[in-house]
């Protein structure tokens, strides 16, 4: 077997030394080298990017968790600063999560107008995944129930109160509460009725809607 291998190697070497092989190498050698270099560079770049992506995401995740811990410890100013830095320099979804958490902190601190504006801005940012935009719209709407008009609540979430939207139940509840608070009991009844008629409504939302429907019916105002 060893003799056969040696013979094969000699034959290959002889072919490489032949004029035909020299001509091929003279013509295509530069291209072969260039392609090989591109393959190597591409492999190195892919490995480097994967490493950068993994480490960047890990750092942003650690920073986000640290900010949440600061918030839980009631260190609002430190948490706000950490989240603001993450919004600017974070990786992946963490800047968006930081924006949402910052707005939540503002609401908890009583900075309601700033929180509403922040949630509303997130809801309008088309760079953000739709589910996160919808969640931000709902947060703005619930804050507006007590701090705004029915029209402002409607501008945030009425587009979500459609059968195909998974967040329709909460959107309808916010709209019903805003209408009830505004004294528009007929409109409130309509929204609450849509909740109770929807077999997919969560139990808690349906229970609150039914309770308010009973209150409206007892009042005789709608």
């Amino acid at each position: 077997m060893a003799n056969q291998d040696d013979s094969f190697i000699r034959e290959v070497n002889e072919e490489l030394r032949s004029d035909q092989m020299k001509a091929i190498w003279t013509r295509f050698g530069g291209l072969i080298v260039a392609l090989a270099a591109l393959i190597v560079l591409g492999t190195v770049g892919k490995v480097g990017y994967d490493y950068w992506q993994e480490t960047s995401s890990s750092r942003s995740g650690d920073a986000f968790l640290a900010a949440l811990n600061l918030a839980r410890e009631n260190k609002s100013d430190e948490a706000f600063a950490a989240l603001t830095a993450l919004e600017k320099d974070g990786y992946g979804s963490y800047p968006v999560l930081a924006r949402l958490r910052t707005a939540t902190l503002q609401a908890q601190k009583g900075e309601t107008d700033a929180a509403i504006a922040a949630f509303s801005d997130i809801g309008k940012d088309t760079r953000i995944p739709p589910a996160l935009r919808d969640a931000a719209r709902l947060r703005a709407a619930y804050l507006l129930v007590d701090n705004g008009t029915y029209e402002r609540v409607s501008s945030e979430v009425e587009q979500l109160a459609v059968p195909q939207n998974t967040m329709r139940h909460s959107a309808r509840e916010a709209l019903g509460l805003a209408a009830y608070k505004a004294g528009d009991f007929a409109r409130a009844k309509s929204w609450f009725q849509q909740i109770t008629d929807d077999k997919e409504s969560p139990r808690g939302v349906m229970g609150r809607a039914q309770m308010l429907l009973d209150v409206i019916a007892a009042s005789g105002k709608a």
Side-chain angles (χ1 to χ4, degrees):
M1 180 65 71
N3 290 335
Q4 290 179 349
D5 289 343
D6 291 341
S7 176
F8 175 75
I9 292 171
R10 282 196 300 273
E11 289 177 8
V12 172
N13 287 336
E14 288 173 2
E15 287 295 327
L16 287 173
R17 286 195 296 269
S18 70
D19 291 340
Q20 183 180 10
M21 292 301 294
K22 289 180 180 177
I24 292 172
W25 181 256
T26 299
R27 185 173 180 183
F28 298 109
L31 178 60
I32 293 170
V33 171
L35 288 173
L38 285 174
I39 291 170
V40 171
L41 289 173
T43 301
V44 171
K46 177 65 165 61
V47 171
Y49 176 76
D50 288 345
Y51 175 77
W52 173 83
Q53 188 176 44
E54 181 179 344
T55 55
S56 296
S57 181
S58 178
R59 284 196 299 269
S60 294
D62 291 343
F64 185 68
L65 289 175
L68 293 183
N69 287 333
L70 289 170
R72 278 194 291 268
E73 294 168 3
N74 294 320
K75 298 178 180 178
S76 298
D77 292 338
E78 293 92 331
F80 189 86
L83 291 167
T84 300
L86 192 56
E87 287 179 39
K88 181 180 178 182
D89 301 321
Y91 179 78
S93 298
Y94 287 106
V96 179
L97 295 175
R99 288 176 67 184
L100 287 165
R101 186 57 185 164
T102 297
T104 299
L105 280 178
Q106 289 173 322
Q108 291 172 349
K109 291 172 64 177
E111 300 171 2
T112 307
D113 290 342
I116 291 170
F119 283 125
S120 185
D121 287 344
I122 294 169
K124 295 180 176 69
D125 192 338
T126 56
R127 298 170 298 176
I128 295 173
L132 290 178
R133 294 205 308 268
D134 290 351
R137 287 180 178 277
L138 281 171
R139 291 288 285 119
Y142 275 111
L143 288 171
L144 283 166
V145 169
D146 288 326
N147 300 278
T149 62
Y150 175 85
E151 287 71 26
R152 291 189 67 189
V153 173
S154 177
S155 69
E156 294 290 344
V157 293
E158 188 156 355
Q159 61 187 288
L160 309 182
V162 292
Q164 63 269 27
N165 195 293
T166 57
M167 296 187 181
R168 63 188 181 276
H169 317 291
S170 295
R172 290 166 179 168
E173 182 177 47
L175 289 160
L177 290 171
Y180 186 88
K181 180 173 176 288
D184 190 344
F185 299 108
R187 180 176 280 169
K189 180 180 178 180
S190 174
W191 286 120
F192 294 138
Q193 193 67 56
Q194 288 185 52
I195 293 172
T196 58
D197 289 344
D198 190 335
K199 295 180 180 179
E200 295 181 0
S201 293
R203 183 176 299 178
V205 177
M206 184 178 289
R208 292 191 295 271
Q210 186 59 60
M211 180 185 69
L212 286 164
L213 283 172
D214 293 342
V215 171
I216 292 170
S219 71
K221 295 180 179 179

